[in-house]
């Protein structure tokens, strides 16, 4: 069964460093998302991406964050200058489409990248 | 998207059915009910979704009341591997609605032997 994959599974970085989290969405999916979950807290939406542009972003997704689809398979989240409070699990998700109700809008999540900022 | 209310936790005996309630009294006509679960900090896993009819798949059944103000996720024969946090999410369908999922606190389900 196709699945979303993410690399690395764990990342430790120093405060102020740049990190890039990578995701390979399900191959025929067109909509891509990043969520994060700080330890012990809720899963929070960061950004959605379609047709090579951001379609929606949350207040968390400030200028320190950027997303890119550099080729036909990868979807990346970059944090330019990490802060201690960026420590969290980061989940990538993808869906086939929106605007057509039901299963095709369902988002499928990857296993996550655990980011620890020291 | 409408707000949902779920009990914070519940226990279930292995092999028995687990019935997970969700209230969504402000749901509107074009909002779907989605269920996801998260096993110990893994990525959320899609379970099932529905609009107004009851739905069943290989994982679970979803019962939505006639007025759509509440729903119940049923795991027919709970196993230890079903121990997870279960999220009920109400979401508008359609392009104009945006497509983010808003997660609440969910119900922490512990399946006991």
């Amino acid at each position: 069964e196709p699945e979303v994959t993410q690399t690395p599974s764990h990342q430790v970085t120093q405060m102020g460093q740049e990190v890039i989290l990578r995701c390979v969405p399900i191959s025929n999916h067109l909509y891509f998302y990043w969520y994060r979950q700080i330890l012990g807290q809720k899963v929070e939406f960061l950004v959605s991406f379609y047709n090579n542009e951001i379609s929606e972003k949350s207040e968390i997704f400030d200028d320190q964050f950027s997303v890119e689809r550099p080729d036909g398979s990868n979807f990346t989240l970059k944090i330019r200058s990490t802060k201690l409070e960026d420590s969290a699990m980061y989940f990538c998700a993808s869906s086939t489409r929106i605007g057509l109700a039901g299963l095709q809008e369902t988002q499928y999540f990857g296993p996550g990248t655990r980011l620890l900022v020291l | 998207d409408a707000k949902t209310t779920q009990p914070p936790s519940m226990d279930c005996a292995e092999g028995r059915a687990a019935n997970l309630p969700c209230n969504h009294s402000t749901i509107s006509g074009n909002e779907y009910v989605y269920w996801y679960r998260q096993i110990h900090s893994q990525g959320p896993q899609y379970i099932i979704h529905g609009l107004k009819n009851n739905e069943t798949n290989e994982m679970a059944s979803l019962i939505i009341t006639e007025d759509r103000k509440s729903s119940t996720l049923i795991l027919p024969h709970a196993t230890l591997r079903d121990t997870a946090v279960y999220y009920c999410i109400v979401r508008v369908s359609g392009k104009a609605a945006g497509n983010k999922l808003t997660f609440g606190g969910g119900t922490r389900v512990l399946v006991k032997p």
Side-chain angles (χ1 to χ4, degrees):
Chain A
E1 186 174 316
E3 57 184 22
V4 176
T5 60
Q6 292 186 242
T7 55
S9 58
H10 295 78
Q11 173 99 41
V12 180
T13 190
Q14 295 291 323
M15 191 169 56
Q17 295 296 302
E18 174 184 286
V19 294
I20 297 176
L21 309 182
R22 291 183 168 79
C23 168
V24 178
I26 294 173
S27 63
N28 64 338
H29 285 190
L30 302 175
Y31 294 83
F32 314 114
Y33 317 83
W34 284 101
Y35 293 78
R36 80 171 186 190
Q37 186 175 33
I38 295 170
L39 187 63
Q41 298 187 22
K42 298 175 185 178
V43 177
E44 302 173 289
F45 169 79
L46 291 178
V47 66
S48 59
F49 189 86
Y50 168 69
N51 199 25
N52 278 321
E53 61 183 28
I54 290 172
S55 49
E56 188 177 2
K57 61 182 180 179
S58 71
E59 292 178 353
I60 303 167
F61 194 87
D62 62 21
D63 292 344
Q64 292 300 312
F65 291 88
S66 62
V67 288
E68 190 179 28
R69 187 152 163 83
D71 54 41
S73 59
N74 289 284
F75 179 51
T76 62
L77 174 69
K78 182 192 291 186
I79 309 175
R80 263 181 269 282
S81 177
T82 50
K83 308 184 189 72
L84 297 176
E85 54 265 37
D86 293 328
S87 294
M89 284 288 290
Y90 287 82
F91 298 109
C92 173
S94 68
S95 64
T96 305
R97 59 180 296 176
I98 61 171
L100 183 69
L103 193 62
Q104 290 174 310
E105 291 193 291
T106 298
Q107 295 179 30
Y108 295 90
F109 286 75
T113 293
R114 184 177 297 279
L115 176 65
L116 178 60
V117 182
L118 301 177
Chain B
D1 295 335
K3 182 177 167 53
T4 62
T5 304
Q6 299 178 254
S9 65
M10 62 184 293
D11 293 345
C12 174
E14 187 180 19
R16 305 294 293 269
N19 297 299
L20 282 62
C22 179
N23 284 319
H24 30 80
S25 58
T26 60
I27 194 169
S28 58
N30 61 346
E31 288 184 309
Y32 281 70
V33 180
Y34 281 80
W35 283 84
Y36 281 79
R37 72 180 182 184
Q38 188 176 26
I39 298 172
H40 190 54
S41 296
Q42 297 178 20
Q45 178 188 21
Y46 166 76
I47 301 173
I48 200 167
H49 75 283
L51 181 63
K52 46 187 165 182
N53 297 324
N54 297 337
E55 302 288 344
T56 295
N57 64 19
E58 65 278 2
M59 289 183 69
S61 295
L62 174 60
I63 308 298
I64 302 174
T65 58
E66 195 168 337
D67 63 7
R68 302 186 69 241
K69 292 184 186 300
S70 66
S71 60
T72 301
L73 178 75
I74 301 171
L75 307 177
H77 304 286
T79 71
L80 299 179
R81 287 177 294 180
D82 292 323
T83 291
V85 179
Y86 287 76
Y87 299 100
C88 169
I89 300 170
V90 169
R91 190 174 154 265
V92 178
S93 176
K95 286 182 181 175
N99 42 353
K100 68 182 179 187
L101 293 172
T102 301
F103 288 80
T107 296
R108 188 172 297 275
V109 173
L110 176 61
V111 180
K112 296 182 174 179

